[in-house]
Amino acid sequence: MAATQKLACFRLPPLPTIKEIIKLYNLRAEKQLSQNFLLDMRLTDKIVRQAGNLKDAHVCEVGPGPGGLTRSILKAGAANLLVVEKDTRFIPGLQLLSEAAPGRMRIAHGDILTYRLERGFPAHIAKTWEDVPPNLHIIGNLPFSVSTPLIIKWLEQMSNRTGCFMFGRTRLTLTFQKEVAERLTASTGSRQRSRLSVMAQYLCTVKNCFTIPGCAFVPKPNVDVGVVHFTPLAQPQIQQPFKLVERIVKNAFQFRRKHCRRGLEMLFPESQRRELTEELLRGADVDPTLRPTEISISEFRALADAYSKLCEENQGLIDYDFREELKLKHQAKRQLGSNHKGLKL
Ligand code: SAM
């Protein structure tokens, strides 16, 4: 009996279907905001199940749009749902849903890229980083246009334990273009291995849960979609600052098909390039002939530690940018050229 009552409290009163909401409020999808809606509640329920048990949970949903996924989150028992939506056209439909779940849903009109999520939830739900994850989840059928910058931003916040990670190891369940989902979860040596794989996997356990065919969305996007679940690691696999790790990984992957040495040497000014690259690779005990895709996370850890040591020993190295050096070199060359012309005249 008690169980039936519990289930009943998650049930929503009869509401217009999502299709009817779209018609009622004339919610034509805007391509500019990457709007592809999910109308099949079995699919939205399936996405929400990947987040785990949402009973009494605090949840932030990114881009609720007409509210299909939102309904599934409420049905799963979330007690405190904050939805962040950029497009004001969806607000009336979301208000209807909020009224159907009194006291359980708040609507914020805003841009998730700048929204201060840490202000959206009470401090008492926080757990220490090493503890079990807090009962706070981020869920979203993300707009393609913001999914990659958004996950990079959240990975950085995870590393610094800021934003929604001030509450501890907040879990994320998000959709990405299938190709991006594959990159996020690609293992060492695989074809899809990329910067994103390393940056995500050194900080989280990343799971590619399932693929949704493009035809399940309205309008149909040109690509299939992957649902990815992230649980931040209690002990990140690399213990250096995010920006330093990002620098190493970005350089390593600069020349994807070449030996990693080729990209890594660009971390150093031309005058010391040869010695410092040798020192880095020797210090990290990494084979210079590995391709970037073949470098494991523990080898990236060794590279980050060795690079950090080099930066301590060589002032200004951390700010070195080979593009700047190249630019200055070209400028000097041009200047020299015009001086010569001047002399001839
Ligand atoms: N959740 C809905 C669903 O599954 O049917 C809609 C998903 S649609 C792919 C993406 C949603 O994110 C749209 O409602 C869009 O207006 C919203 N959106 C786009 N950019 C956003 C941003 N920067 N911040 C918040 N919402 C955004």
Side-chain angles (χ1 to χ4, degrees):
M1 179 66 188
T4 334
Q5 269 172 358
K6 266 182 195 155
L7 275 180
C9 78
F10 304 148
R11 208 170 286 145
L12 296 167
L15 284 163
T17 64
I18 297 296
K19 222 176 186 167
E20 285 163 350
I21 292 271
I22 291 174
K23 229 175 173 180
L24 192 67
Y25 295 103
N26 192 21
L27 303 173
R28 218 169 8 87
E30 290 277 351
K31 225 183 176 162
Q32 239 180 342
L33 286 175
S34 317
Q35 291 176 345
N36 304 100
F37 307 136
L38 274 173
L39 310 186
D40 181 345
M41 292 302 286
R42 280 169 310 180
L43 267 177
T44 53
D45 286 349
K46 189 170 173 188
I47 296 175
V48 167
R49 276 201 299 277
Q50 311 309 313
N53 182 2
L54 290 193
K55 187 175 169 297
D56 298 331
H58 299 258
V59 180
C60 169
E61 189 199 351
V62 185
L69 197 55
T70 322
R71 289 185 189 199
S72 294
I73 296 169
L74 289 168
K75 268 181 17 190
N80 175 21
L81 169 61
L82 169 68
V83 299
V84 182
E85 174 55 63
K86 192 173 180 181
D87 186 343
T88 47
R89 295 177 308 143
F90 293 113
I91 307 294
L94 291 168
Q95 266 157 359
L96 202 69
L97 196 50
S98 169
E99 281 156 25
R104 293 172 61 202
M105 175 177 162
R106 292 169 291 145
I107 304 163
H109 171 226
D111 185 334
I112 194 63
L113 285 166
T114 49
Y115 195 83
R116 304 282 304 267
L117 272 183
E118 65 277 21
R119 295 187 182 158
F121 296 94
H124 70 81
I125 67 169
K127 298 267 187 200
T128 61
W129 193 261
E130 291 73 22
D131 203 343
V132 292
N135 198 6
L136 168 63
H137 299 256
I138 298 191
I139 302 180
N141 174 18
L142 292 183
F144 291 153
S145 53
V146 298
S147 58
T148 305
L150 192 56
I151 193 63
I152 300 271
K153 176 188 149 162
W154 279 337
L155 289 171
E156 181 163 10
Q157 289 186 340
M158 203 180 282
S159 153
N160 299 331
R161 302 179 190 181
T162 55
C164 59
F165 303 99
M166 284 173 80
F167 299 98
R169 295 187 289 127
T170 302
R171 286 159 289 177
L172 317 167
T173 309
L174 306 167
T175 59
F176 295 87
Q177 293 184 41
K178 181 170 178 261
E179 188 196 306
V180 178
E182 283 170 356
R183 273 195 262 142
L184 280 162
T185 50
S187 52
T188 313
S190 70
R191 202 170 43 86
Q192 292 96 337
R193 184 76 161 178
S194 69
R195 277 160 68 180
L196 210 48
S197 331
V198 180
M199 295 310 286
Q201 292 170 32
Y202 98 79
L203 288 162
C204 314
T205 304
V206 195
K207 186 176 163 213
N208 192 349
C209 305
F210 67 99
T211 301
I212 309 176
C215 61
F217 295 83
V218 178
K220 175 183 175 302
N222 293 330
V223 289
D224 293 341
V225 169
V227 178
V228 184
H229 183 76
F230 302 80
T231 308
L233 291 166
Q235 275 296 328
Q237 295 201 62
I238 304 177
Q239 301 280 346
Q240 296 293 342
F242 185 86
K243 288 284 182 212
L244 185 145
V245 182
E246 201 179 32
R247 225 172 137 78
I248 290 275
V249 176
K250 186 174 166 194
N251 274 274
F253 276 95
Q254 195 154 205
F255 305 102
R256 224 185 130 72
R257 291 174 199 282
K258 301 231 161 87
H259 293 161
C260 67
R261 185 201 165 94
R262 179 72 186 86
L264 288 170
E265 66 185 12
M266 302 314 273
L267 286 164
F268 305 113
E270 209 178 332
S271 57
Q272 296 165 283
R273 194 159 283 160
R274 187 188 276 261
E275 314 89 88
L276 290 182
T277 310
E278 288 295 329
E279 218 176 312
L280 174 78
L281 288 160
R282 212 175 334 105
D285 193 21
V286 167
D287 176 356
T289 65
L290 286 178
R291 312 273 165 200
T293 50
E294 293 168 335
I295 309 176
S296 66
I297 301 268
S298 58
E299 285 166 324
F300 269 114
R301 180 199 312 131
L303 285 168
D305 290 344
Y307 178 62
S308 165
K309 192 160 163 273
L310 287 175
C311 288
E312 275 167 27
E313 294 163 359
N314 296 271
Q315 225 194 4
L317 183 58
I318 190 77
D319 300 315
Y320 171 73
D321 180 350
F322 75 90
R323 288 177 200 84
E324 279 298 311
E325 188 175 16
L326 262 182
K327 209 160 83 189
L328 290 175
K329 227 168 131 182
H330 286 315
Q331 267 170 8
K333 231 179 191 172
R334 266 203 304 272
Q335 187 65 41
L336 205 67
S338 56
N339 286 351
H340 273 301
K341 264 189 210 157
L343 279 177
K344 272 186 203 159
L345 289 173

PDB file of all heavy atoms in Angstrom, residues 33-38 61-69 84-87 90 110-113 141-143 145-146, ligand 1:
ATOM      1  N   LEU A  33      18.851  27.654 -32.272  1.00  0.00           N
ATOM      2  CA  LEU A  33      19.009  27.200 -30.885  1.00  0.00           C
ATOM      3  C   LEU A  33      19.126  25.677 -30.824  1.00  0.00           C
ATOM      4  O   LEU A  33      18.937  25.078 -29.765  1.00  0.00           O
ATOM      5  CB  LEU A  33      17.834  27.689 -30.028  1.00  0.00           C
ATOM      6  CG  LEU A  33      17.833  29.176 -29.675  1.00  0.00           C
ATOM      7  CD1 LEU A  33      16.574  29.567 -28.928  1.00  0.00           C
ATOM      8  CD2 LEU A  33      19.047  29.542 -28.830  1.00  0.00           C
ATOM      9  N   SER A  34      19.437  25.063 -31.947  1.00  0.00           N
ATOM     10  CA  SER A  34      19.587  23.596 -32.037  1.00  0.00           C
ATOM     11  C   SER A  34      18.392  22.886 -31.399  1.00  0.00           C
ATOM     12  O   SER A  34      18.565  22.042 -30.532  1.00  0.00           O
ATOM     13  CB  SER A  34      20.852  23.112 -31.344  1.00  0.00           C
ATOM     14  OG  SER A  34      21.944  23.901 -31.606  1.00  0.00           O
ATOM     15  N   GLN A  35      17.211  23.277 -31.785  1.00  0.00           N
ATOM     16  CA  GLN A  35      16.028  22.685 -31.152  1.00  0.00           C
ATOM     17  C   GLN A  35      15.569  21.438 -31.895  1.00  0.00           C
ATOM     18  O   GLN A  35      15.089  21.507 -33.028  1.00  0.00           O
ATOM     19  CB  GLN A  35      14.911  23.730 -31.059  1.00  0.00           C
ATOM     20  CG  GLN A  35      15.274  24.833 -30.060  1.00  0.00           C
ATOM     21  CD  GLN A  35      14.266  25.951 -29.997  1.00  0.00           C
ATOM     22  OE1 GLN A  35      13.414  26.081 -30.860  1.00  0.00           O
ATOM     23  NE2 GLN A  35      14.372  26.770 -28.972  1.00  0.00           N
ATOM     24  N   ASN A  36      15.750  20.285 -31.250  1.00  0.00           N
ATOM     25  CA  ASN A  36      15.246  19.013 -31.763  1.00  0.00           C
ATOM     26  C   ASN A  36      14.550  18.369 -30.576  1.00  0.00           C
ATOM     27  O   ASN A  36      15.190  18.058 -29.580  1.00  0.00           O
ATOM     28  CB  ASN A  36      16.404  18.115 -32.249  1.00  0.00           C
ATOM     29  CG  ASN A  36      17.259  18.818 -33.282  1.00  0.00           C
ATOM     30  OD1 ASN A  36      18.327  19.335 -32.962  1.00  0.00           O
ATOM     31  ND2 ASN A  36      16.794  18.859 -34.511  1.00  0.00           N
ATOM     32  N   PHE A  37      13.247  18.209 -30.695  1.00  0.00           N
ATOM     33  CA  PHE A  37      12.474  17.785 -29.531  1.00  0.00           C
ATOM     34  C   PHE A  37      12.284  16.274 -29.474  1.00  0.00           C
ATOM     35  O   PHE A  37      12.176  15.608 -30.506  1.00  0.00           O
ATOM     36  CB  PHE A  37      11.094  18.452 -29.550  1.00  0.00           C
ATOM     37  CG  PHE A  37      11.160  19.947 -29.680  1.00  0.00           C
ATOM     38  CD1 PHE A  37      10.311  20.627 -30.550  1.00  0.00           C
ATOM     39  CD2 PHE A  37      12.070  20.684 -28.929  1.00  0.00           C
ATOM     40  CE1 PHE A  37      10.373  22.009 -30.689  1.00  0.00           C
ATOM     41  CE2 PHE A  37      12.139  22.063 -29.054  1.00  0.00           C
ATOM     42  CZ  PHE A  37      11.288  22.729 -29.941  1.00  0.00           C
ATOM     43  N   LEU A  38      12.161  15.780 -28.267  1.00  0.00           N
ATOM     44  CA  LEU A  38      11.851  14.367 -28.045  1.00  0.00           C
ATOM     45  C   LEU A  38      10.401  14.282 -27.580  1.00  0.00           C
ATOM     46  O   LEU A  38      10.053  14.860 -26.541  1.00  0.00           O
ATOM     47  CB  LEU A  38      12.758  13.800 -26.948  1.00  0.00           C
ATOM     48  CG  LEU A  38      14.118  13.292 -27.379  1.00  0.00           C
ATOM     49  CD1 LEU A  38      14.960  12.926 -26.173  1.00  0.00           C
ATOM     50  CD2 LEU A  38      13.985  12.094 -28.327  1.00  0.00           C
ATOM     51  N   GLU A  61      17.681  20.679 -15.091  1.00  0.00           N
ATOM     52  CA  GLU A  61      17.544  20.258 -16.483  1.00  0.00           C
ATOM     53  C   GLU A  61      17.948  21.409 -17.394  1.00  0.00           C
ATOM     54  O   GLU A  61      17.458  22.535 -17.260  1.00  0.00           O
ATOM     55  CB  GLU A  61      16.107  19.817 -16.813  1.00  0.00           C
ATOM     56  CG  GLU A  61      16.092  19.177 -18.208  1.00  0.00           C
ATOM     57  CD  GLU A  61      14.740  19.079 -18.899  1.00  0.00           C
ATOM     58  OE1 GLU A  61      13.715  19.356 -18.268  1.00  0.00           O
ATOM     59  OE2 GLU A  61      14.721  18.746 -20.076  1.00  0.00           O
ATOM     60  N   VAL A  62      18.810  21.085 -18.350  1.00  0.00           N
ATOM     61  CA  VAL A  62      19.287  22.094 -19.306  1.00  0.00           C
ATOM     62  C   VAL A  62      18.385  22.073 -20.531  1.00  0.00           C
ATOM     63  O   VAL A  62      18.195  21.014 -21.139  1.00  0.00           O
ATOM     64  CB  VAL A  62      20.725  21.757 -19.755  1.00  0.00           C
ATOM     65  CG1 VAL A  62      21.263  22.868 -20.639  1.00  0.00           C
ATOM     66  CG2 VAL A  62      21.621  21.505 -18.575  1.00  0.00           C
ATOM     67  N   GLY A  63      17.849  23.214 -20.897  1.00  0.00           N
ATOM     68  CA  GLY A  63      17.052  23.325 -22.125  1.00  0.00           C
ATOM     69  C   GLY A  63      15.833  22.409 -22.137  1.00  0.00           C
ATOM     70  O   GLY A  63      15.750  21.490 -22.941  1.00  0.00           O
ATOM     71  N   PRO A  64      14.856  22.661 -21.274  1.00  0.00           N
ATOM     72  CA  PRO A  64      13.671  21.784 -21.214  1.00  0.00           C
ATOM     73  C   PRO A  64      12.773  21.873 -22.447  1.00  0.00           C
ATOM     74  O   PRO A  64      12.022  20.927 -22.722  1.00  0.00           O
ATOM     75  CB  PRO A  64      12.925  22.291 -19.975  1.00  0.00           C
ATOM     76  CG  PRO A  64      13.370  23.716 -19.821  1.00  0.00           C
ATOM     77  CD  PRO A  64      14.797  23.732 -20.263  1.00  0.00           C
ATOM     78  N   GLY A  65      12.839  22.990 -23.168  1.00  0.00           N
ATOM     79  CA  GLY A  65      12.000  23.142 -24.365  1.00  0.00           C
ATOM     80  C   GLY A  65      10.538  22.886 -24.030  1.00  0.00           C
ATOM     81  O   GLY A  65      10.023  23.370 -23.020  1.00  0.00           O
ATOM     82  N   PRO A  66       9.838  22.067 -24.830  1.00  0.00           N
ATOM     83  CA  PRO A  66       8.414  21.838 -24.560  1.00  0.00           C
ATOM     84  C   PRO A  66       8.161  20.941 -23.346  1.00  0.00           C
ATOM     85  O   PRO A  66       7.009  20.784 -22.927  1.00  0.00           O
ATOM     86  CB  PRO A  66       7.922  21.170 -25.841  1.00  0.00           C
ATOM     87  CG  PRO A  66       9.127  20.585 -26.479  1.00  0.00           C
ATOM     88  CD  PRO A  66      10.286  21.425 -26.070  1.00  0.00           C
ATOM     89  N   GLY A  67       9.212  20.329 -22.780  1.00  0.00           N
ATOM     90  CA  GLY A  67       9.053  19.680 -21.467  1.00  0.00           C
ATOM     91  C   GLY A  67       8.901  18.166 -21.438  1.00  0.00           C
ATOM     92  O   GLY A  67       8.474  17.633 -20.415  1.00  0.00           O
ATOM     93  N   GLY A  68       9.276  17.461 -22.509  1.00  0.00           N
ATOM     94  CA  GLY A  68       9.141  15.996 -22.500  1.00  0.00           C
ATOM     95  C   GLY A  68      10.024  15.342 -21.438  1.00  0.00           C
ATOM     96  O   GLY A  68       9.553  14.599 -20.572  1.00  0.00           O
ATOM     97  N   LEU A  69      11.317  15.682 -21.489  1.00  0.00           N
ATOM     98  CA  LEU A  69      12.272  15.132 -20.527  1.00  0.00           C
ATOM     99  C   LEU A  69      11.922  15.607 -19.107  1.00  0.00           C
ATOM    100  O   LEU A  69      12.059  14.866 -18.133  1.00  0.00           O
ATOM    101  CB  LEU A  69      13.677  15.608 -20.935  1.00  0.00           C
ATOM    102  CG  LEU A  69      14.887  14.896 -20.376  1.00  0.00           C
ATOM    103  CD1 LEU A  69      14.828  13.404 -20.651  1.00  0.00           C
ATOM    104  CD2 LEU A  69      16.163  15.467 -21.000  1.00  0.00           C
ATOM    105  N   VAL A  84      16.523  25.327 -16.837  1.00  0.00           N
ATOM    106  CA  VAL A  84      17.127  26.559 -17.378  1.00  0.00           C
ATOM    107  C   VAL A  84      16.897  26.574 -18.888  1.00  0.00           C
ATOM    108  O   VAL A  84      17.412  25.722 -19.605  1.00  0.00           O
ATOM    109  CB  VAL A  84      18.642  26.631 -17.052  1.00  0.00           C
ATOM    110  CG1 VAL A  84      19.228  27.940 -17.579  1.00  0.00           C
ATOM    111  CG2 VAL A  84      18.890  26.487 -15.561  1.00  0.00           C
ATOM    112  N   GLU A  85      16.116  27.527 -19.353  1.00  0.00           N
ATOM    113  CA  GLU A  85      15.728  27.583 -20.774  1.00  0.00           C
ATOM    114  C   GLU A  85      16.015  28.980 -21.318  1.00  0.00           C
ATOM    115  O   GLU A  85      15.680  29.987 -20.699  1.00  0.00           O
ATOM    116  CB  GLU A  85      14.243  27.219 -20.915  1.00  0.00           C
ATOM    117  CG  GLU A  85      13.655  27.367 -22.307  1.00  0.00           C
ATOM    118  CD  GLU A  85      14.412  26.585 -23.397  1.00  0.00           C
ATOM    119  OE1 GLU A  85      14.453  25.346 -23.320  1.00  0.00           O
ATOM    120  OE2 GLU A  85      14.962  27.234 -24.314  1.00  0.00           O
ATOM    121  N   LYS A  86      16.610  29.001 -22.503  1.00  0.00           N
ATOM    122  CA  LYS A  86      17.005  30.281 -23.100  1.00  0.00           C
ATOM    123  C   LYS A  86      15.862  30.917 -23.894  1.00  0.00           C
ATOM    124  O   LYS A  86      15.794  32.138 -24.031  1.00  0.00           O
ATOM    125  CB  LYS A  86      18.189  30.006 -24.032  1.00  0.00           C
ATOM    126  CG  LYS A  86      18.901  31.233 -24.502  1.00  0.00           C
ATOM    127  CD  LYS A  86      20.152  30.851 -25.262  1.00  0.00           C
ATOM    128  CE  LYS A  86      20.887  32.061 -25.759  1.00  0.00           C
ATOM    129  NZ  LYS A  86      22.073  31.700 -26.512  1.00  0.00           N
ATOM    130  N   ASP A  87      14.995  30.090 -24.438  1.00  0.00           N
ATOM    131  CA  ASP A  87      13.967  30.576 -25.362  1.00  0.00           C
ATOM    132  C   ASP A  87      12.653  30.830 -24.598  1.00  0.00           C
ATOM    133  O   ASP A  87      12.010  29.896 -24.106  1.00  0.00           O
ATOM    134  CB  ASP A  87      13.773  29.498 -26.442  1.00  0.00           C
ATOM    135  CG  ASP A  87      12.830  29.926 -27.549  1.00  0.00           C
ATOM    136  OD1 ASP A  87      12.074  30.892 -27.347  1.00  0.00           O
ATOM    137  OD2 ASP A  87      12.845  29.268 -28.610  1.00  0.00           O
ATOM    138  N   PHE A  90       9.031  28.957 -24.573  1.00  0.00           N
ATOM    139  CA  PHE A  90       8.679  27.715 -23.873  1.00  0.00           C
ATOM    140  C   PHE A  90       8.146  27.951 -22.464  1.00  0.00           C
ATOM    141  O   PHE A  90       7.619  27.025 -21.844  1.00  0.00           O
ATOM    142  CB  PHE A  90       9.902  26.787 -23.791  1.00  0.00           C
ATOM    143  CG  PHE A  90      10.330  26.276 -25.132  1.00  0.00           C
ATOM    144  CD1 PHE A  90      11.537  26.652 -25.682  1.00  0.00           C
ATOM    145  CD2 PHE A  90       9.504  25.429 -25.856  1.00  0.00           C
ATOM    146  CE1 PHE A  90      11.927  26.188 -26.926  1.00  0.00           C
ATOM    147  CE2 PHE A  90       9.886  24.957 -27.111  1.00  0.00           C
ATOM    148  CZ  PHE A  90      11.097  25.338 -27.644  1.00  0.00           C
ATOM    149  N   GLY A 110      17.248  31.683 -18.888  1.00  0.00           N
ATOM    150  CA  GLY A 110      18.657  32.073 -18.908  1.00  0.00           C
ATOM    151  C   GLY A 110      19.469  31.210 -19.843  1.00  0.00           C
ATOM    152  O   GLY A 110      18.955  30.280 -20.464  1.00  0.00           O
ATOM    153  N   ASP A 111      20.751  31.558 -19.924  1.00  0.00           N
ATOM    154  CA  ASP A 111      21.695  30.843 -20.784  1.00  0.00           C
ATOM    155  C   ASP A 111      22.545  29.942 -19.889  1.00  0.00           C
ATOM    156  O   ASP A 111      23.232  30.431 -18.989  1.00  0.00           O
ATOM    157  CB  ASP A 111      22.573  31.876 -21.506  1.00  0.00           C
ATOM    158  CG  ASP A 111      23.507  31.222 -22.515  1.00  0.00           C
ATOM    159  OD1 ASP A 111      23.843  30.029 -22.339  1.00  0.00           O
ATOM    160  OD2 ASP A 111      23.894  31.916 -23.461  1.00  0.00           O
ATOM    161  N   ILE A 112      22.519  28.669 -20.136  1.00  0.00           N
ATOM    162  CA  ILE A 112      23.220  27.717 -19.265  1.00  0.00           C
ATOM    163  C   ILE A 112      24.726  27.952 -19.262  1.00  0.00           C
ATOM    164  O   ILE A 112      25.413  27.609 -18.297  1.00  0.00           O
ATOM    165  CB  ILE A 112      22.869  26.255 -19.657  1.00  0.00           C
ATOM    166  CG1 ILE A 112      23.313  25.263 -18.562  1.00  0.00           C
ATOM    167  CG2 ILE A 112      23.433  25.879 -21.009  1.00  0.00           C
ATOM    168  CD1 ILE A 112      22.657  25.413 -17.238  1.00  0.00           C
ATOM    169  N   LEU A 113      25.230  28.591 -20.331  1.00  0.00           N
ATOM    170  CA  LEU A 113      26.676  28.821 -20.386  1.00  0.00           C
ATOM    171  C   LEU A 113      27.133  29.854 -19.350  1.00  0.00           C
ATOM    172  O   LEU A 113      28.297  29.883 -18.968  1.00  0.00           O
ATOM    173  CB  LEU A 113      27.089  29.277 -21.793  1.00  0.00           C
ATOM    174  CG  LEU A 113      27.100  28.159 -22.834  1.00  0.00           C
ATOM    175  CD1 LEU A 113      27.175  28.720 -24.238  1.00  0.00           C
ATOM    176  CD2 LEU A 113      28.253  27.190 -22.592  1.00  0.00           C
ATOM    177  N   ASN A 141      18.837  17.156 -22.626  1.00  0.00           N
ATOM    178  CA  ASN A 141      18.950  16.877 -24.053  1.00  0.00           C
ATOM    179  C   ASN A 141      19.526  18.170 -24.612  1.00  0.00           C
ATOM    180  O   ASN A 141      18.813  19.110 -24.921  1.00  0.00           O
ATOM    181  CB  ASN A 141      17.571  16.550 -24.634  1.00  0.00           C
ATOM    182  CG  ASN A 141      17.610  16.399 -26.145  1.00  0.00           C
ATOM    183  OD1 ASN A 141      18.680  16.216 -26.728  1.00  0.00           O
ATOM    184  ND2 ASN A 141      16.447  16.496 -26.766  1.00  0.00           N
ATOM    185  N   LEU A 142      20.861  18.197 -24.634  1.00  0.00           N
ATOM    186  CA  LEU A 142      21.563  19.456 -24.891  1.00  0.00           C
ATOM    187  C   LEU A 142      21.406  19.946 -26.311  1.00  0.00           C
ATOM    188  O   LEU A 142      21.395  19.143 -27.246  1.00  0.00           O
ATOM    189  CB  LEU A 142      23.056  19.259 -24.657  1.00  0.00           C
ATOM    190  CG  LEU A 142      23.551  19.011 -23.251  1.00  0.00           C
ATOM    191  CD1 LEU A 142      25.071  18.915 -23.254  1.00  0.00           C
ATOM    192  CD2 LEU A 142      23.117  20.130 -22.333  1.00  0.00           C
ATOM    193  N   PRO A 143      21.352  21.273 -26.466  1.00  0.00           N
ATOM    194  CA  PRO A 143      21.458  21.812 -27.819  1.00  0.00           C
ATOM    195  C   PRO A 143      22.858  21.517 -28.347  1.00  0.00           C
ATOM    196  O   PRO A 143      23.843  21.727 -27.624  1.00  0.00           O
ATOM    197  CB  PRO A 143      21.251  23.315 -27.612  1.00  0.00           C
ATOM    198  CG  PRO A 143      21.399  23.565 -26.156  1.00  0.00           C
ATOM    199  CD  PRO A 143      21.194  22.289 -25.433  1.00  0.00           C
ATOM    200  N   SER A 145      24.663  23.019 -30.351  1.00  0.00           N
ATOM    201  CA  SER A 145      25.526  24.198 -30.492  1.00  0.00           C
ATOM    202  C   SER A 145      26.290  24.507 -29.205  1.00  0.00           C
ATOM    203  O   SER A 145      27.318  25.170 -29.261  1.00  0.00           O
ATOM    204  CB  SER A 145      24.684  25.405 -30.884  1.00  0.00           C
ATOM    205  OG  SER A 145      23.624  25.547 -29.974  1.00  0.00           O
ATOM    206  N   VAL A 146      25.794  24.061 -28.048  1.00  0.00           N
ATOM    207  CA  VAL A 146      26.506  24.413 -26.811  1.00  0.00           C
ATOM    208  C   VAL A 146      27.096  23.194 -26.088  1.00  0.00           C
ATOM    209  O   VAL A 146      27.786  23.359 -25.089  1.00  0.00           O
ATOM    210  CB  VAL A 146      25.610  25.198 -25.804  1.00  0.00           C
ATOM    211  CG1 VAL A 146      25.139  26.498 -26.355  1.00  0.00           C
ATOM    212  CG2 VAL A 146      24.450  24.378 -25.301  1.00  0.00           C
TER     213      VAL A 146
HETATM  214  N1  SAM B   1      14.567  19.076 -23.682  1.00  0.00           N
HETATM  215  C1  SAM B   1      13.760  19.226 -24.866  1.00  0.00           C
HETATM  216  C2  SAM B   1      13.495  17.884 -25.501  1.00  0.00           C
HETATM  217  O1  SAM B   1      14.220  16.934 -25.152  1.00  0.00           O
HETATM  218  O2  SAM B   1      12.596  17.791 -26.322  1.00  0.00           O
HETATM  219  C3  SAM B   1      14.396  20.200 -25.868  1.00  0.00           C
HETATM  220  C4  SAM B   1      15.764  19.823 -26.347  1.00  0.00           C
HETATM  221  S1  SAM B   1      16.425  20.853 -27.603  1.00  0.00           S
HETATM  222  C5  SAM B   1      17.648  19.791 -28.295  1.00  0.00           C
HETATM  223  C6  SAM B   1      17.476  22.004 -26.771  1.00  0.00           C
HETATM  224  C7  SAM B   1      16.793  23.006 -25.869  1.00  0.00           C
HETATM  225  O3  SAM B   1      17.786  23.820 -25.271  1.00  0.00           O
HETATM  226  C8  SAM B   1      15.858  23.969 -26.562  1.00  0.00           C
HETATM  227  O4  SAM B   1      14.709  24.118 -25.791  1.00  0.00           O
HETATM  228  C9  SAM B   1      16.634  25.286 -26.618  1.00  0.00           C
HETATM  229  O5  SAM B   1      15.811  26.448 -26.626  1.00  0.00           O
HETATM  230  C10 SAM B   1      17.426  25.203 -25.358  1.00  0.00           C
HETATM  231  N2  SAM B   1      18.677  25.981 -25.383  1.00  0.00           N
HETATM  232  C11 SAM B   1      19.480  26.247 -26.456  1.00  0.00           C
HETATM  233  N3  SAM B   1      20.570  26.935 -26.058  1.00  0.00           N
HETATM  234  C12 SAM B   1      20.455  27.100 -24.719  1.00  0.00           C
HETATM  235  C13 SAM B   1      21.259  27.733 -23.731  1.00  0.00           C
HETATM  236  N4  SAM B   1      22.405  28.314 -24.056  1.00  0.00           N
HETATM  237  N5  SAM B   1      20.834  27.734 -22.448  1.00  0.00           N
HETATM  238  C14 SAM B   1      19.661  27.137 -22.097  1.00  0.00           C
HETATM  239  N6  SAM B   1      18.858  26.521 -22.999  1.00  0.00           N
HETATM  240  C15 SAM B   1      19.247  26.500 -24.281  1.00  0.00           C
END
